[in-house]
Every structure is written in C-alpha cells, then in structure tokens.
Amino acid sequence: MKYHIVTYGCQMNVHESEKIAGILQTAGYKTVSPLEEADIIVFNTCCIRENAENHAFGNIGALKKLKRQKKELIVAVGGCMVQEEGKAGILKEKFPFIDILFGTHNLNELGALIERKRAQKKAVISVPEERAETEDGILPVRTSYPNAWVNITYGCNNFCTYCIVPYVRGRERSRKKEEILAEVRELVKNGYKEITLLGQNVNSYRDGEVSFPTLLDEIASIEGKFRLRFMTSHPKDFSAELVSVMKKHDKICNLLHLPAQSGSDRILQLMNRRYTREKYLSGVALLKREIPDAEITTDLIVGFPTETEAEFEETLSLVKEAGFSSAFTFIYSPRTGTKAAEMEGQIPEEVSKDRIARLIALVNAQTREKSAGYVGKRVEILCEDYDEKKGLYLGRDERGRMGYFESDKNPIGEFVTLEITRANGISLYGKTV
C-alpha cells in the first residue's frame, strides 16, 4: 500500500505532515511521489490565508476523475481548514468522494479512522472540538534532513483579530520540558544539524517554573555541533532574558523572526497585538545592542480594515527603521469567524495591491543591500540540498541567507565555509575554503 501527502501552509504543517507520514508507515504504507499511484492521498490543509484554502479546494476537486477510476482509493482531508467551523460540512457537500475528514485536534487518530473507513462503505467524519491529550507518541517520518522541527507548544491564546488560529488550533498548551529535551537529544544523536523549535508563540512557553528562555538555555547546552532556531516569537513577550540566552550560546542562530504586522499603533490596537510601535522598536534596539550582528525577519500585513495611506507609510518607515533582513508580506485576508472580518472599512483590492507592491519593493531593496554586504566575506553554510537546475549545492547560514556552491563530493548535512563571491537578491554564491 502506498501513500501521498499534500501539504499547505507553514513549518507547523510541514512537521504535522511528517507525523501523518509516521502514522501511515506504522499502518504499513510506503510513500510514493506520483499521486496517481497512491492508495491513500492525504491533504493537510491550511486556512490562515485565502489563497491556501483556494488551492486546497482546487486540488481536492481535481481528484474526482482519479477517484472514479480507482474505486479503492482513499481520499483523506485534515488540518486547519477542516477544523474551521462549518468547513467539514462544506467539503463533504462539495466533494462527496472524500472518504475521511479529520481536524487538527485528532491527527493522532488517523490510523483508526482509516481502519473505520475500510470496515464500512460510508465516509468517516471526525472533527472533535477538544484537542487530544497528546501527540507525543507519534514517531514522525522526518523529511527535511539535516533540519528537524520540534513542537514545544500547541495552539494559541492571543486572539489577534485577523487570525483564525486560536479557533482551529485550540488554546495554548506547552509540552513537558523533559519530553522536548529527550527529542532534541535523539535528533542530535541521529545526525540532525539544525533544530527549529515550533509554536504559535514560543515566548509564552511554560512548564511549571520553566520559561522559554530557560528551555532554550537547556537545549543549547546539549552536547554536539548543531544550530538552534525558534519561531514564532510574539513581540509582546519578547524579553531581555531571551536576548541574554541568545547571546550566551553560539548554537543559537543570530536570527530572530519577530512579526510586526504593522507600523501603526492604531492598526496594531485594532489587530489586538498588545504592543506599540515604540515597544517593538525597543526590542529591536535591545537585540542589536547586545548582539550587533543579529538579523531580524518579520511578517507584515497591508490593507487591514480602515488602514489609511498615512498608516501604511508608517509600516514602510518601520521597515527602514528596524532594518529587516527580509519579510513575509501579505494582503489582509478576511477569515470568517474573526473580529476583523466583521469590521467596517474593508480596503478595496486595488488599494491593497498597490500597497503590497510598494512594500515588497522596499523589502527587496533592503534584502539586496544586506546580501551585497556578504560579498568578500566568509560564512558557514549548513548544506541542505542539491539544485539540479543550477548544478550547485545549497544551504543557509545562521541568518537565513541561502548560499550556493560547487563541490566535488556530496556535502549535504555538513557545515561548509564559503567565501562569498557574488550576491543576487536573497541568494549568495561562493566557493568553499
């Protein structure tokens, strides 16, 4: 029996697809690349952005013909979109050939749901309102060597007015410190060279008296050569203690992903972000003062309801003042069930498109300038893959810049020192030294 998984969304979903693969392999399935050869196809959906949702609908619908040809094919759809209120019913009505629908709260039950489907003719729909007690018994099939993802929290308590995550992921809960430490030790023992800690808001991690900086300190103290990253950090919880731990350990990458979302205090208040522009920039200044070579990446939203041109320009000025090395930029996407979707003053599409184009142009200009500063310098790259089209190996430095280089041997999974000879946008090119 063979499986194929289609993943949408962020690193959190990528790691959950690794867990889905673990469940399927435990059940006796083997992975297959051509979707047409699979006995079960699992869609791990995302509903954070409208585009991801539309892509999922389109790709699920495209299976109608294949399902008609392969009567025994099982089509399973899970993830955030299914957990969203009312979406399971819409999916089943629109695509009656779906065999299994499951949510974010019961991913661990997928194996049992497959058995139920095989034992009966009708579809199996299981989307519980409460999250399962644990997923930690699932052994993921890791697909990102030499990188590995490790959940430290699940869910979110922040309720930003534009965000559906608390409704589809549930309230925040933290894993036990010892479970996390044991997982990281095992990964390092097995040769993984970069560990990324995942959570909707890693800063609010709490296991008894153990805070996130304390956890980070203990993980970075594990023996072995590896890099340590974490995402995402909420600016309202960013602390001097975290910066101190980052400064203490060479293993912790000098790169912080700190989503600003907007440069306007009024818009930040409407978003329920619970920090001001001044507080955000004071955090940036603290990091740069303590770790001068640290870089910051961010998320930015344009076209939030009632955003004025002047407020958008405040976001542009924030980009310049913070000196972001790169940014994920988005046009505000209304999500049913969130407060922002019900707000008056929705911004016309043409205005939002104009603003996003101007924002991207500014971000790209800053990114190119920072990349140009690498030329002539030596950087350590963790080789991750081989680019067939370019005929070059590739990997990132600790600040997230992608470096391309030639090599006579296969260096994937190794740290390589490059002398950078040229830069192109966010990409660096160099030779090994």
Side-chain angles (χ1 to χ4, degrees):
M1 297 187 294
K2 301 173 184 177
Y3 72 86
H4 183 95
I5 301 173
V6 183
T7 306
Y8 304 87
C10 62
Q11 284 90 345
M12 192 82 71
N13 267 27
V14 170
H15 185 40
E16 290 192 346
S17 287
E18 291 180 335
K19 294 178 180 180
I20 290 170
I23 292 170
L24 293 172
Q25 290 200 14
T26 299
Y29 288 87
K30 295 182 179 180
T31 184
V32 64
S33 292
L35 181 141
E36 294 78 11
E37 295 181 14
D39 299 295
I40 180 169
I41 299 170
V42 183
F43 290 88
N44 186 14
T45 64
C46 174
C47 64
I48 306 305
R49 306 286 170 195
E50 188 176 14
N51 282 346
E53 199 167 285
N54 290 340
H55 286 155
F57 270 98
N59 290 336
I60 294 168
L63 284 185
K64 183 177 181 179
K65 182 178 179 181
L66 180 62
K67 179 67 173 176
R68 192 182 299 126
Q69 294 170 347
K70 296 181 65 173
K71 301 294 184 183
E72 298 304 313
L73 171 66
I74 293 178
V75 177
V77 182
C80 292
M81 192 169 77
V82 181
Q83 195 69 47
E84 190 179 351
E85 186 176 359
K87 277 293 168 66
I90 292 172
L91 282 162
K92 189 56 189 167
E93 182 179 355
K94 191 174 181 68
F95 309 112
F97 55 84
I98 292 176
D99 299 291
I100 300 172
L101 285 163
F102 64 102
T104 57
H105 294 343
N106 64 330
L107 179 150
N108 60 319
E109 296 178 359
L110 178 58
L113 298 179
I114 294 171
E115 290 303 313
R116 277 176 56 188
K117 172 56 191 173
R118 292 197 179 283
Q120 64 186 43
K121 290 186 178 181
K122 63 180 182 179
V124 175
I125 301 175
S126 180
V127 189
E129 293 184 6
E130 298 295 327
R131 188 176 185 88
E133 283 301 309
T134 182
E135 290 179 1
D136 296 328
I138 301 173
L139 294 176
V141 176
R142 299 193 182 269
T143 57
S144 304
Y145 178 84
N147 308 308
W149 318 101
V150 176
N151 284 108
I152 67 168
T153 68
Y154 300 101
C156 184
N157 289 344
N158 290 316
F159 290 92
C160 300
T161 58
Y162 55 82
C163 185
I164 196 71
V165 166
Y167 305 98
V168 298
R169 292 274 179 187
R171 302 305 293 269
E172 185 178 278
R173 68 183 183 89
S174 298
R175 290 179 65 193
K176 294 293 183 182
K177 180 192 77 170
E178 291 306 326
E179 292 177 356
I180 297 167
L181 290 173
E183 183 174 351
V184 174
R185 288 191 191 102
E186 187 67 16
L187 288 167
V188 174
K189 178 183 174 182
N190 290 334
Y192 286 88
K193 302 293 175 56
E194 184 168 295
I195 312 296
T196 302
L197 308 179
L198 295 178
Q200 300 298 336
N201 178 15
V202 291
N203 305 66
S204 58
Y205 173 88
R206 178 69 61 172
D207 178 21
E209 297 300 313
V210 180
S211 66
F212 178 61
T214 304
L215 174 70
L216 193 64
D217 188 21
E218 292 200 34
I219 294 174
S221 299
I222 293 173
E223 292 185 4
K225 181 172 174 58
F226 65 95
R227 286 180 182 165
L228 185 57
R229 300 185 189 273
F230 53 89
M231 63 185 310
T232 297
S233 298
H234 197 297
K236 73 178 177 62
D237 299 315
F238 183 68
S239 67
E241 184 184 3
L242 174 58
V243 175
S244 177
V245 173
M246 291 178 67
K247 185 177 181 180
K248 175 182 175 183
H249 293 281
D250 290 338
K251 287 175 183 173
I252 302 175
C253 293
N254 288 335
L255 175 69
L256 181 69
H257 187 66
L258 197 64
Q261 306 302 5
S262 174
S264 161
D265 282 344
R266 189 183 75 86
I267 295 298
L268 288 172
Q269 186 174 18
L270 285 177
M271 289 176 167
N272 191 37
R273 292 293 286 174
R274 289 180 280 175
Y275 56 84
T276 63
R277 176 193 179 99
E278 182 181 2
K279 176 175 171 56
Y280 184 92
L281 289 172
S282 69
V284 171
L286 170 65
L287 180 70
K288 293 293 181 71
R289 184 170 61 250
E290 294 298 317
I291 311 175
D293 62 346
E295 293 286 3
I296 298 175
T297 58
T298 195
D299 295 345
L300 297 165
I301 296 173
V302 304
F304 190 81
T306 74
E307 180 190 61
T308 65
E309 175 64 20
E311 287 166 337
F312 166 68
E313 289 178 358
E314 287 185 86
T315 297
L316 295 179
S317 68
L318 179 77
V319 171
K320 296 175 184 177
E321 193 168 343
F324 299 123
S325 65
S326 64
F328 297 100
T329 57
F330 307 95
I331 292 176
Y332 166 70
S333 177
R335 301 284 77 197
T336 303
T338 63
K339 288 187 177 180
E342 301 172 0
M343 291 180 180
E344 295 181 356
Q346 300 289 324
I347 303 300
E349 183 179 4
E350 61 271 18
V351 174
S352 293
K353 285 184 175 181
D354 173 70
R355 289 176 183 172
I356 197 74
R358 290 153 60 196
L359 177 61
I360 290 173
L362 174 61
V363 169
N364 286 349
Q366 285 192 184
T367 299
R368 286 193 296 270
E369 183 179 351
K370 286 184 176 290
S371 293
Y374 276 84
V375 177
K377 295 180 179 179
R378 292 184 177 187
V379 296
E380 185 178 67
I381 298 289
L382 174 58
C383 184
E384 301 176 4
D385 207 349
Y386 181 75
D387 188 316
E388 295 283 352
K389 290 183 179 179
K390 294 178 184 286
L392 298 171
Y393 287 97
L394 60 101
R396 290 176 298 162
D397 78 335
E398 66 167 311
R399 294 167 191 83
R401 278 290 184 274
M402 190 67 73
Y404 292 87
F405 61 97
E406 293 181 347
S407 178
D408 294 332
K409 65 171 186 174
N410 181 352
I412 294 175
E414 297 179 9
F415 289 99
V416 179
T417 299
L418 295 187
E419 183 174 315
I420 304 304
T421 55
R422 67 184 179 94
N424 181 16
I426 61 172
S427 300
L428 310 174
Y429 295 83
K431 57 183 180 181
T432 56
V433 295

